[in-house]
Amino acid sequence: MKPATMPTEELMGSGHLACQGCGATQAMRFALKALGPDTALVIPACCWAVIDGSFPHSCIDLPIYHTAFETAAVVASGLKAGLEMRGDTKTTVMAWAGDGGTFDIGLQSLSGAAERNDDFIYVCYDNEAYMNTGIQRSSSTPVGAWTTTTPVTNYKREPKKNMIDIMAAHSIPYIATASTAYPHDFMRKIAKANTFRGTKYIQIFAPCPTGWKLAPELSVKMARLAVTSKMYPLLEITDHGQKLEVWKDFEPTPIAEYMKAQGRFRHLSDAEIAGIEKDVEAKWERLLAKERMLASIPGL
Amino acid sequence: MKKVIMGNHAVSYGVRASEAQVISAYPITPQTHIVELLSEMCGNGEINAKFIKVESEHSAMAACIGASAAGTRAFTATSSQGLLLMHEMLHWAVGARLPIVLANVNRAVGPPWSIWTDQNDSLSQRDVGWFQIYCESNQETQDTVPQAFKIAEQLQMPVMLVLDAFFLSHTYEIVDIIEKEQVRKFLPPYNPEIKIDTKDPHSFGNLAGPDMYMELRYMIQEAMEKGLDVIKKVDDEFREVFGRGYGLIEPYRCDDAEIILVTSGTVASTTRAVIDAMRGEGVAIGALKIRVFRPFPFEEIFAVLSKAKKVAVIDRNISFGCHGIFFQEIKSALYGRTDIPVLGYIAGLGGRDVTPGVIREIAENAISNKNPERYINWIGVKR
């Protein structure tokens, strides 16, 4: 018998309101297992504003502060300052927002908080569109994807915004990407983030079966294929943006396997998928070159 | 200790004496002195507070919301466009029942750019559920800060104090500076029962269905209605410690007045000088300053105005397509209970001087005006 490697403590109950196969919900459960009970959450408008449950119920046994769409980071700043003024220096504040609330409307206040290096963990659960409002494109939506505002006749032509580079430009102590297919890796990164003082940013790839037109049982598989197809590299950036580590210890898989399983890419021709694969490969090579370049600078 | 200070710094001294714990703000003329001095006070340890220097006013209010939710005393200051940018979070503070105090320096809204005073910034926030207190002097401005915290914390409601740009914000007056040791006798430390605490976890602000939302709104209105008594009581308690108080409204020579001019902010001071001059000429005229605008003191105002034969309201603001905003409220305070004619005057927008001459013109027009149904009388406008 294999020993259990997952903490058995549950801070999230089963009575949540998420769809089947929701990556954002899996991500929350793992994050809370990694952080434990000394944690307060800030949640802006996003799927998680609803998943938690309606008043007076909550599926999470921790304080949650629900706030307006663009304010997750700065409410976390204020909350942390308030807790410290009350003499509570132990509680970890975690802002928990979707990609719309992070890449788009919340970018300004996140940038402000990161520039001040305010002390909290910011997790963006990235399902690559505005899912709570019914699948509209965000600046995190990948090129080629269908959403209700990028219909198949006019699907998304623009590449996904590189949020990781934006956060790295803020010289914060810790940045990481993660995927719901690799919960131990995600939990390790959350726990590691909690050892730094300052702003920590973790972006977890969190499939949305409803919005991606995907069978719910394929949620975890898609989260794995996103990584192994190099669409969503797993990485860590430490030393205030100076050190980059990219995870490479996987068997690469073709992008077509990832894209063809999802209805949101169904309209793409083989030639278009091949074009996307070429771009993904080029970005991957640039990422590895950057990793080598940063490693080659003496003193880092 | 008495000092000659500007109105903006009167706010800072009031915040220092109130021992705010988290301050968050963004610069905007003509408010900036308030937070500049507070930054210095935080830096040199005169006040034990964290100052979160945010990237926008929207974030300033959001940071105050986080800090207040943690159970600490939070303050911000702003003006004009900044207050308008906060609008969404002003609503949030009310719905969340957070006793944040905000000082707004009344500045006209652009375009065209104007840095000078009028009340359209704060009055366009009239329906969000913040208490609004309009100050007339630097002393009153300073003293209103600890009063605002006490009112806010008793009712779990946010309070905005308002002062005129330049006529108060940049004008130097003698102020008897209050110190925290004295204020502690008046304002107890803030320690709310409900706050963000991992030992007592709650979910704040999550989805409430139609079966619950309305009750929460009713409770806000209840807090507002209780607010008038709370403000009076807090004012009395302040008077016991400091020997000064300000009331909800301030009538001046109204007892036997046939005509009463209704004003707010610094226009009230100028108006009193005109009242004295006209009284000297035998005119039975008085003035009523509205200090507390939200909650609106209907009964107190009715008690004063119902004895007059005519009322003239001076508005340094305009609700386009309707009337001056104080005028609307005064009309509703008298509605159905008296048939006193009420005249509305728009003056002083965008910082145009409301001089004794302007006020006399309004008074004389009101006395001779036989057409009170004309609700808007623009004073001094070039057509």
Side-chain angles (χ1 to χ4, degrees):
Chain A
M1 200 167 86
K2 278 186 174 178
T5 54
M6 187 68 72
T8 51
E9 188 182 17
E10 291 287 358
L11 289 160
M12 197 187 102
S14 56
H16 62 74
L17 301 182
C19 307
Q20 282 189 353
C22 171
T25 307
Q26 297 155 28
M28 177 67 91
R29 183 173 167 223
F30 299 136
L32 299 185
K33 279 177 179 287
L35 286 175
D38 254 338
T39 307
L41 295 171
V42 176
I43 300 181
C46 62
C47 287
W48 256 102
V50 180
I51 295 171
D52 170 29
S54 64
F55 181 82
H57 305 289
S58 172
C59 70
I60 290 182
D61 203 12
L62 293 172
I64 302 181
Y65 203 78
H66 290 272
T67 187
F69 217 156
E70 62 279 54
T71 62
V74 67
V75 170
S77 300
L79 175 56
K80 184 67 184 175
L83 290 173
E84 287 191 349
M85 285 307 295
R86 246 177 53 205
D88 174 358
T89 52
K90 252 178 62 189
T91 297
T92 295
V93 173
M94 178 165 71
W96 184 269
D99 48 283
T102 303
F103 288 57
D104 291 344
I105 196 169
L107 182 61
Q108 175 177 317
S109 83
L110 173 57
S111 174
E115 183 273 328
R116 294 187 304 273
N117 203 24
D118 289 341
D119 187 23
F120 58 85
I121 299 173
Y122 189 106
V123 176
C124 169
Y125 64 93
D126 184 6
N127 52 28
E128 304 196 314
Y130 290 88
M131 297 312 188
N132 198 36
T133 46
I135 324 164
Q136 293 81 34
R137 66 92 86 183
S138 75
S139 60
S140 173
T141 304
V143 67
W146 162 90
T147 68
T148 58
T149 51
T150 49
V152 291
T153 50
N154 187 23
Y155 59 79
K156 186 150 185 285
R157 310 283 168 172
E158 306 81 16
K160 180 184 178 91
K161 187 187 277 183
N162 188 339
M163 191 63 201
I164 296 299
D165 274 5
I166 291 171
M167 293 315 292
H170 288 76
S171 305
I172 54 176
Y174 186 73
I175 296 164
T177 58
S179 157
T180 52
Y182 302 91
H184 289 87
D185 174 70
F186 176 52
M187 288 167 59
R188 178 185 66 79
K189 285 166 175 168
I190 289 274
K192 185 172 175 182
N194 209 22
T195 64
F196 296 99
R197 192 174 165 83
T199 308
K200 287 81 64 174
Y201 178 79
I202 297 177
Q203 187 175 301
I204 180 162
F205 187 77
C208 171
T210 309
W212 296 2
K213 306 296 172 205
L214 175 74
E217 64 271 24
L218 296 179
S219 177
V220 174
K221 186 179 179 189
M222 283 311 113
R224 187 176 306 114
L225 291 177
V227 175
T228 55
S229 67
K230 302 171 185 170
M231 285 286 273
Y232 216 92
L234 296 188
L235 55 82
E236 285 178 283
I237 300 173
T238 48
D239 289 359
H240 302 275
Q242 303 305 304
K243 190 177 175 196
L244 169 65
E245 288 173 277
V246 183
W247 186 57
K248 298 176 280 289
D249 188 19
F250 56 84
E251 282 296 318
T253 53
I255 270 181
E257 190 184 351
Y258 170 73
M259 297 187 89
K260 290 200 166 178
Q262 301 175 42
R264 63 172 173 159
F265 297 121
R266 189 176 296 140
H267 52 280
L268 296 178
S269 67
D270 286 349
E272 285 169 312
I273 291 177
I276 290 170
E277 182 152 39
K278 209 175 140 203
D279 288 344
V280 166
E281 198 61 44
K283 278 183 182 161
W284 173 258
E285 288 304 326
R286 280 202 297 276
L287 185 66
L288 297 189
K290 190 173 177 185
E291 184 185 34
R292 289 192 298 273
M293 182 271 288
L294 286 171
S296 73
I297 300 172
L300 289 180
Chain B
M1 186 182 61
K2 288 189 177 171
K3 274 189 175 184
V4 180
I5 58 169
M6 63 163 75
N8 277 340
H9 286 174
V11 176
S12 316
Y13 281 104
V15 173
R16 184 184 72 167
S18 304
E19 298 182 89
Q21 293 162 292
V22 177
I23 298 162
S24 184
Y26 186 80
I28 184 167
T29 302
Q31 164 279 123
T32 316
H33 299 101
I34 298 173
V35 296
E36 282 174 351
L37 184 55
L38 283 170
S39 301
E40 278 182 40
M41 289 168 167
C42 289
N44 65 22
E46 277 180 67
I47 175 170
N48 178 25
K50 287 187 187 287
F51 196 134
I52 306 174
K53 288 149 196 176
V54 284
E55 83 302 331
S56 73
E57 288 91 350
H58 192 280
S59 282
M61 185 46 59
C64 285
I65 284 168
S68 187
T72 52
R73 194 167 279 164
F75 174 82
T76 187
T78 189
S79 188
S80 187
Q81 313 294 140
L83 187 70
L84 305 187
L85 185 58
M86 277 183 191
H87 177 78
E88 181 194 23
M89 302 319 285
L90 295 178
H91 277 286
W92 208 275
V94 173
R97 301 297 297 268
L98 296 172
I100 299 162
V101 171
L102 180 159
N104 182 65
V105 180
N106 266 152
R107 165 184 156 181
V109 173
W113 283 119
S114 167
I115 56 168
W116 297 280
T117 203
D118 76 33
Q119 298 169 324
N120 259 81
D121 57 353
S122 55
L123 289 175
S124 70
Q125 309 305 315
R126 117 186 121 162
D127 299 334
V128 298
W130 279 64
F131 281 52
Q132 287 199 6
I133 303 175
Y134 287 78
C135 299
E136 187 193 339
S137 71
N138 290 359
Q139 185 72 59
E140 181 186 350
T141 299
Q142 180 205 239
D143 296 349
T144 299
V145 178
Q147 288 198 357
F149 276 114
K150 190 162 187 176
I151 296 159
E153 289 165 13
Q154 284 191 6
L155 293 161
Q156 292 293 129
M157 289 285 284
V159 177
M160 182 188 303
L161 60 124
V162 185
L163 54 153
D164 287 344
F166 300 103
F167 297 122
L168 216 52
S169 68
H170 286 57
T171 300
Y172 282 72
E173 292 181 339
I174 298 168
V175 173
D176 193 351
I177 305 288
I178 54 176
E179 300 293 344
K180 64 184 176 193
E181 291 77 13
Q182 293 167 285
V183 171
R184 280 175 189 165
K185 291 179 213 158
F186 161 77
L187 178 66
Y190 179 52
N191 189 20
E193 206 177 309
I194 300 167
K195 54 184 174 280
I196 295 196
D197 186 348
T198 54
K199 289 178 199 70
D200 182 24
H202 295 276
S203 180
F204 296 84
N206 55 345
L207 196 65
D211 57 329
M212 292 196 179
Y213 185 90
M214 201 161 158
E215 282 67 27
L216 296 168
R217 269 22 195 185
Y218 175 75
M219 288 159 77
I220 292 168
Q221 173 66 10
E222 268 191 323
M224 273 281 177
E225 287 171 7
K226 273 187 218 153
L228 291 169
D229 283 340
V230 170
I231 294 168
K232 277 192 275 191
K233 191 163 165 281
V234 164
D235 199 45
D236 290 343
E237 288 161 358
F238 188 87
R239 195 190 302 271
E240 274 172 36
V241 178
F242 296 97
R244 299 181 296 271
Y246 303 95
L248 300 168
I249 57 173
E250 192 181 332
Y252 183 73
R253 303 184 82 163
C254 284
D255 284 346
D256 61 339
E258 291 182 4
I259 181 159
I260 296 176
L261 305 185
V262 180
T263 63
S264 57
T266 54
V267 173
S269 316
T270 318
T271 302
R272 277 190 217 103
V274 176
I275 299 299
D276 287 344
M278 293 181 76
R279 281 277 181 176
E281 295 156 20
V283 183
I285 189 166
L288 176 66
K289 177 182 93 167
I290 310 295
R291 176 172 182 251
V292 176
F293 177 74
R294 279 291 180 276
F296 197 69
F298 288 101
E299 288 306 319
E300 289 77 4
I301 288 170
F302 179 79
V304 174
L305 296 185
S306 57
K307 289 184 276 181
K309 292 193 176 129
K310 212 179 231 184
V311 172
V313 184
I314 305 177
D315 270 300
R316 198 168 217 159
N317 61 77
I318 170 88
S319 172
F320 296 115
C322 193
H323 323 124
I325 293 167
F326 278 88
F327 173 76
Q328 296 171 30
E329 310 289 23
I330 296 294
K331 289 272 282 185
S332 80
L334 300 179
Y335 176 76
R337 303 171 73 179
T338 168
D339 51 6
I340 304 167
V342 185
L343 295 109
Y345 295 88
I346 307 293
L349 301 188
R352 187 169 295 186
D353 273 348
V354 181
T355 61
V358 169
I359 293 165
R360 182 180 276 268
E361 182 187 341
I362 290 169
E364 286 170 356
N365 180 293
I367 289 162
S368 62
N369 198 317
K370 299 281 186 281
N371 184 22
E373 286 73 29
R374 172 129 192 238
Y375 293 134
I376 295 198
N377 299 282
W378 288 77
I379 297 301
V381 75
K382 299 183 275 285
R383 301 184 220 221

